[in-house]
Amino acid sequence: MDFTPTEEQEAARELAGRIFADLATHERLRAAGTGTDAELWKALCAAGLPGAVEETGLLGLVLLLEEQGRRTAQVPFAASCVYGILAVARHGTEEQRARLLPGLRDGTSVVTGAFPAPGAVSSRAGRLSGAVEWVPWLRDATHVLVPDGDRALWLVRTEDAAAVEAVELTAPWAAARLVLDGTPGERLGGTGAGAHDDVLAAARIAFAGLQAGVCAGSLARAVEYTSVREQFGRPLSTHQAVQLRAADAHMDTEAIRVTAYEAAWRFDEGLDAAGAALTAAWWASEAGKRVVHAGQHLHGGMGADLDHPVHRHFLWGRQLDAYLGCGTELLAELGDLLAEGDL
C-alpha cells in the first residue's frame, strides 16, 4: 500500500485548495443558503477538477473532497463525481460515456444519487415508481442515479420526476424528496448488482474523505481559537484538558483519513473494497461525530453561536454521520460480511 499522491493528484489537490480558500469564504457561504454556490462550481469545472477524477481515480477524489470539507464548500462535488462521472465512466456503455461525460466534466450536468434506498423504487419496462425520502443536492441536479429493487441502476432526469419536494437537512445540501410515478429512466449500461455495489462502495469512500476534511477544518478552527483565547491569564491551549481533547480529535481525524485512503487505494487497484469502504464509513460516522462535537465544545460559548464558522462544520459532520448510515448500521453490514466469509 502506498498512499503517496502522484504528481497529478497533488497538483489537483493544491489547485482545489486555492479555489476553495478564495471562494468558499464565511461570507459567501452565508449568502449561498442551502443551494449551490454557482460561481464556485463554475470555477471548479473551469479548472477541470471534476473531469480530472477520471485520471486521478477515487483516491484523487478523496484528496479533493478533503479540501472541500475543510471549507464546507456549497457544491455537489462528491455527488456528481461519484454518482455521475465515476459511475458512467466505469459502468456506462460506450455511447453513454460519449454522450454524458462531457456535460458532467464541464458542470452543465449535475448528477446526484438516491442512495442508499433499498427497495424504495421498482422498475417495469424502463419506468420507475416509488419515493426516496431525501436525496442530497437533488434541487440543483439535472439527473439522479436511482437503484431499483433488483439493484439495477437508472439515470432519471430530474425534470421528469413526478415530484421534487424540498426538504431541509441538518446540513445545507439542497436536498429534496424524490417521487417517481411511471417515470422514464435510462438503464446505466447492462448492469446489475455488481455495478450497484461498486457505486455504493465508491460513495461511502468519497463521503468519508469529505468527512475527513470537515473534521480537519473543525479542529484547525479549534486550535486557532484556543491558542489566542485566554483564561486565567494564559491561552486555553495551555490547559491539559484542552490539549487532551484536541489530541483525541486529531487521532480520530487521522483514523478517518487513513481508512478512507486505504479504501480508495483498494478501489483504484481493482481489489475488493467492500469491507474497506464500510470500515472507512464507520470511522467517518462514529469518529466524525466526536470530532465536530469536540470542535464546537473547545470554542466554549462561541461554539453555541449559530453564525460562527465552526457551527457549519458541526452541521456537516452530523449530516455525514447520518448519510453514511450511522455506526450501528455499518457494523451490522460488516458483521454480515464476516459471517459470509467475504472479509
Side-chain angles (χ1 to χ4, degrees):
M1 254 180 284
D2 184 3
F3 305 149
T4 305
T6 64
E7 290 184 10
E8 292 78 8
Q9 290 170 338
E10 188 61 42
R13 176 166 64 177
E14 290 178 0
L15 178 57
R18 290 197 298 271
I19 294 174
F20 286 127
D22 290 342
L23 295 181
T25 62
H26 180 53
E27 293 71 26
R28 289 179 59 85
L29 288 168
R30 289 177 60 188
T34 62
T36 296
D37 185 331
E39 183 179 345
L40 174 55
W41 182 240
K42 183 178 179 180
L44 292 167
C45 294
L49 290 174
V53 172
E54 293 175 78
E55 300 298 326
T56 61
L58 186 56
L59 181 55
L61 176 58
V62 165
L63 295 173
L64 299 181
L65 292 175
E66 275 194 85
E67 298 303 321
Q68 179 188 359
R70 291 177 196 277
R71 304 284 175 173
T72 59
Q74 286 292 110
V75 286
F77 201 176
S80 200
C81 286
V82 169
Y83 300 124
I85 289 176
L86 288 180
V88 172
R90 289 172 67 89
H91 303 292
T93 64
E94 184 176 347
E95 186 277 332
Q96 286 174 326
R97 292 194 296 270
R99 172 167 49 89
L100 297 171
L101 285 175
L104 290 169
R105 293 172 187 139
D106 65 22
T108 54
S109 296
V110 174
V111 179
T112 187
F115 280 74
V121 175
S122 61
S123 63
R124 183 175 182 180
R127 298 276 174 169
L128 283 72
S129 297
V132 182
E133 292 307 310
W134 65 275
V135 179
W137 304 107
L138 184 60
R139 279 181 267 161
D140 295 335
T142 58
H143 298 76
V144 54
L145 187 66
V146 181
D148 66 14
D150 296 322
R151 297 195 293 178
L153 300 179
W154 301 84
L155 268 177
V156 176
R157 293 193 305 173
T158 309
E159 63 183 24
D160 292 337
V164 174
E165 304 165 350
V167 296
E168 298 302 326
L169 304 179
T170 302
W173 284 4
R177 182 173 185 263
L178 176 68
V179 181
L180 305 173
D181 186 7
T183 303
E186 177 183 357
R187 182 77 174 263
L188 186 62
T191 59
H196 170 277
D197 294 348
D198 184 82
V199 172
L200 179 57
R204 282 170 165 161
I205 297 165
F207 282 95
L210 182 61
Q211 182 76 301
V214 170
C215 291
S218 174
L219 185 57
R221 291 188 183 280
V223 169
E224 180 182 9
Y225 178 79
T226 57
S227 296
V228 297
R229 178 76 166 87
E230 291 191 356
Q231 187 180 60
F232 305 121
R234 58 186 181 132
L236 285 172
S237 60
T238 63
H239 294 273
Q240 187 178 46
V242 172
Q243 293 172 355
L244 292 174
R245 191 79 190 274
D248 286 343
H250 172 73
M251 294 302 295
D252 273 338
T253 301
E254 288 302 299
I256 299 169
R257 178 181 290 116
V258 74
T259 52
Y261 283 8
E262 179 188 359
W265 176 83
R266 292 185 64 87
F267 186 91
D268 289 339
E269 292 295 314
L271 303 173
D272 181 12
L278 281 166
T279 302
W282 183 84
W283 273 104
S285 177
E286 287 292 291
K289 180 167 50 183
R290 291 195 295 266
V291 173
V292 296
H293 274 268
Q296 192 165 29
H297 186 200
L298 289 172
H299 278 76
M302 292 300 295
D305 182 357
L306 300 185
D307 194 46
H308 195 282
V310 78
H311 187 66
R312 188 177 293 107
H313 290 270
F314 176 79
L315 297 178
W316 276 63
R318 291 313 310 260
Q319 187 64 64
L320 283 163
D321 167 36
Y323 188 58
L324 287 165
C326 301
T328 52
E329 295 177 28
L330 296 165
L331 282 180
E333 282 194 57
L334 273 170
D336 289 340
L337 284 180
L338 285 168
E340 294 165 7
D342 291 335
L343 280 182

